[in-house]
Amino acid sequence: MAARTRTRTAKAPPGSAAAKSRTPNAQAAANANARTPTGKPEVRIFVSYSHVDAAARAKLETHLAPLIRDGVSTWFDGRMDPGDALDAGISRALRQAHILVALLSPE
């Protein structure tokens, strides 16, 4: 009788490059299927505006406020933490957004 050998596939250590390459796809899938506590799908809105038009952006936030309980969230550069990389933070938020709202004005 021949001896049977089994080969196991090794899992990548948590900090390895192989583990990191799977992380964005898993995170993207989790973000795409994100649900609010009410069971509704989450909707992320990216707001692009000139800082001269901060009052218009604030007014938009006021109008969208009732939708927060339905899973709508807005993002603008004022939500970044001090010390965050500006370009990377904006790019990440833009990739994760479902809707882009661009406030246009002469400024």
Side-chain angles (χ1 to χ4, degrees), residues 11-23:
K11 289 186 177 180
S16 71
K20 288 179 183 175
S21 68
R22 289 190 306 248
T23 304

Side-chain angles (χ1 to χ4, degrees), residues 28-67:
N31 287 342
N33 297 325
R35 299 251 175 209
T36 63
T38 61
K40 295 180 182 180
E42 180 182 19
V43 177
R44 292 180 294 274
I45 300 174
F46 181 94
V47 180
S48 177
Y49 69 105
S50 168
H51 287 253
V52 175
D53 298 323
R57 190 220 30 94
K59 191 172 184 178
L60 175 67
E61 290 278 325
T62 302
H63 288 290
L64 294 175
L67 299 175

